[in-house]
Amino acid sequence: MGLKGEAAIVGIAEYRPERKYSGRPMFDLEQWADLSALALADAGLSSRDVNGIVVSRLRESPHFVPATVAEYCGWSVNLAEHVDLGGANSVGAVWRAAAAIELGMCDVVVAAIAGRPPPPQPDGAVDPLIARQYAFGASSAEWGSPQAEFELPYGHIAQNSGYAMIAQRYGALYGYDERAMAKIVVDQRTNACANPEAVFHGKPVTIDDVLNSKMVADPLRLLEIVMPVSGGAAVVVASREVARRTRHRPVFVTGCGEHLAHKTPTYTADMLHTPIGPAAESAFAMAGVARSDVDVAQLYDCYTITVLLTIEDSGFCAKGEGMAFVRDHELTYRGDFPVNTHGGQLGFGQAGGAGGMSQVVEAVHQVRGEAGDRQVGGCDTAYVSGTGGVMSEQGALIVQGG
Amino acid sequence: MTITGQPTAIVKPRPRPTPTSQPFWDALRDERVVLQHCRDCGSWVHYPRSRCVSCLSDALDWVEVSGRGTVYTFAIAWQPTAPPFDDEVPQIIAVVEIGAGEGPGEGSTVVSAAGARISTTLVTTELERLRVGMAVEPVFDHGADGMTLLRFRPVDEAP
Ligand SMILES: [Zn+2]
């Protein structure tokens, strides 16, 4: 059962993250076409080869997204999938593409996520949909939405306080080492400093820098929270047969998993046993890979607490031992447990919904051996996680060099 | 529809009851806390639903509970979680568990061991005393719009 490892990531493209976007504003559809062209060129494939797409949210059109994208890019496709898993869209898109390829439905699938700002609306008009989305984070303000009725009126909005509540409970049950939490930021920043593309390249930080940064949502401080940037990324997933005629070492998708049970963390069975647990279990079992076989772990890192719980619940250490694990291991590209070798979203930047794709792209760079100064030697197997909402939906991938 | 010019000021969101949830809000206005209780599996159901979240039974009864509970977790937001909440900073965003060990009462043998979790805020000025697991009791926050929000305060801080 599960994936047989017959589909591979063969092309990648990623916009350089920028805190203040310096280029021409672009619609999501324009970014789709642009990123796809770049990723197909990276693979050595042509637009005519594309026969599947996996899309997520599209600013210009909330409905009929696959059809809108296919029409814009001039593709006729046999797979038209729409994922709606927030920061887990990246991982979710890759395994869906791989599964459809193994089913024989298609053999070249593009998955792109846009993250650059759009042109301003004519006459300064504001799209009410966008305005409301910014006001209420990822929560629905529609009548009848549980979030509108039972979360928003109390100020349970956006992500910071949700993740902070998880961190607070973690501390109460297992103890809290703020220096270990800060070390996650420091190690990833070290990685960012070895990645010229990272938004924090050339800007190392110390544990004290992190502890001295402003308290945003106690116990989480400013430097423990991702930096929003512009960006965007795309991957091309293809069959083994197609992969033979591409330009790089194919990176096969050998294991995957996905899990969710809630939108709002209030209602999860246990805030400290996160959905990545079952997702990771599935991915490792499917790939037949042991935790100790992982050469690099690209862990979705909207916050430090996300990394900590993902290390624990993915099975790299026991529950409650994450702080000690972080203290005892160097998480940099030259360390004994390399995490987020591109700098993570904490050090590389989070390009909105495309943030999680940076982790997929970095896994590919590492397995291809093209990560430059931050290359981990002999990297064949990468573990990638994706996280949406407030630890709401999570996905896991094992990818391996062919 | 588009709005011309700057985004209109976003006002603080207020609950808009549905036919299913109306009894919950009606009770709060009377300073009572009621929860849905499943006759078939004995679970509390919160937020209110048309069917039980544990077993999808539609045999749900509204049952009054004490409203006292414990803090499952909390966070202190030093930046507003959204612009309209600027006046509440520091917001003590919290999840409280109520109804644990309580049940439908007389004539019923079903007591719910597990409580129901509720998204709320804590009302206190003594931030340093806040603890996961601390006992809290309801604060009925009556709004000018006729809606009452259910907040909580540490039990020893009753006026
Ligand atoms: Zn039930």
Side-chain angles (χ1 to χ4, degrees), chain B residues 38 40-43 52 54-57:
Chain B
C38 177
D40 283 332
C41 78
S43 300
C52 172
S54 297
C55 74
L56 288 186
S57 163

Side-chain angles (χ1 to χ4, degrees), chain B residues 54-85:
Chain B
S54 297
C55 74
L56 288 186
S57 163
D58 61 358
L60 299 177
D61 301 314
W62 287 101
V63 172
E64 183 166 349
V65 293
S66 67
R68 286 189 295 275
T70 54
V71 174
Y72 181 78
T73 190
F74 67 96
I76 302 168
W78 291 100
Q79 288 179 10
T81 56
F85 290 87

Side-chain angles (χ1 to χ4, degrees), chain A residues 165-344:
Chain A
M165 285 197 292
I166 295 172
Q168 186 81 251
R169 184 164 173 85
Y170 187 98
L173 267 67
Y174 301 114
Y176 201 80
D177 178 355
E178 58 182 11
R179 297 188 72 81
M181 293 290 271
K183 180 173 177 291
I184 293 172
V185 181
V186 171
D187 283 359
Q188 293 193 188
R189 193 64 79 88
T190 299
N191 294 340
C193 288
N195 180 4
E197 297 290 309
V199 76
F200 285 123
H201 180 252
K203 298 189 177 96
V205 291
T206 64
I207 285 176
D208 287 330
D209 290 337
V210 178
L211 297 183
N212 290 329
S213 70
K214 187 169 55 174
M215 191 65 90
V216 173
D218 196 344
L220 297 178
R221 295 179 165 91
L222 185 64
L223 289 182
E224 296 179 78
I225 302 172
V226 277
M227 171 62 68
V229 296
S230 68
V235 297
V236 179
V237 185
S239 66
R240 181 180 292 273
E241 198 181 324
V242 170
R244 286 196 189 100
R245 57 184 171 95
T246 57
R247 295 174 54 230
H248 301 282
R249 183 188 193 191
V251 180
F252 287 92
V253 184
T254 56
C256 65
E258 185 167 284
H259 193 77
L260 70 80
H262 67 274
K263 166 75 175 79
T264 301
T266 300
Y267 311 112
T268 185
D270 181 342
M271 239 183 217
L272 301 182
H273 285 82
T274 58
I276 199 67
E281 206 53 53
S282 164
F284 280 103
M286 195 184 292
V289 160
R291 271 54 170 190
S292 56
D293 295 332
V294 170
D295 299 312
V296 290
Q298 313 296 0
L299 310 179
Y300 195 95
D301 62 327
C302 42
Y303 298 84
T304 47
I305 184 68
T306 318
V307 176
L308 187 93
L309 285 168
T310 301
I311 288 173
E312 288 187 356
D313 291 345
S314 298
F316 294 108
C317 70
K319 175 55 62 185
E321 292 175 8
M323 300 275 184
F325 184 92
V326 169
R327 280 194 302 268
D328 294 346
H329 294 272
E330 189 180 335
L331 310 181
T332 71
Y333 62 94
R334 50 179 184 237
D336 56 335
F337 188 77
V339 170
N340 290 332
T341 43
H342 61 317

Side-chain angles (χ1 to χ4, degrees), chain A residues 11-19 21 26-39 56-57 59 90 110-117 197 199 227-235 342 345 348-362 365:
Chain A
I12 51 174
E14 188 160 50
Y15 288 142
R16 183 185 191 127
E18 289 184 294
R19 291 175 71 172
Y21 180 54
M26 296 172 79
F27 288 107
D28 282 4
L29 282 167
E30 294 174 333
Q31 296 176 62
W32 247 97
D34 194 40
L35 288 162
S36 300
L38 294 169
S56 53
R57 191 176 71 86
R59 187 186 297 269
S90 47
V110 179
I113 305 180
R116 283 182 167 176
E197 297 290 309
V199 76
M227 171 62 68
V229 296
S230 68
V235 297
H342 61 317
Q345 297 181 56
F348 181 80
Q350 179 179 57
M357 204 56 112
S358 79
Q359 262 104 7
V360 173
V361 168
E362 176 65 3
H365 282 312

Side-chain angles (χ1 to χ4, degrees), chain A residues 362-385:
Chain A
E362 176 65 3
V364 173
H365 282 312
Q366 288 289 344
V367 173
R368 284 182 181 178
E370 61 184 23
D373 289 346
R374 65 183 192 280
Q375 181 65 47
V376 172
C379 181
D380 290 315
T381 299
Y383 172 71
V384 186
S385 75

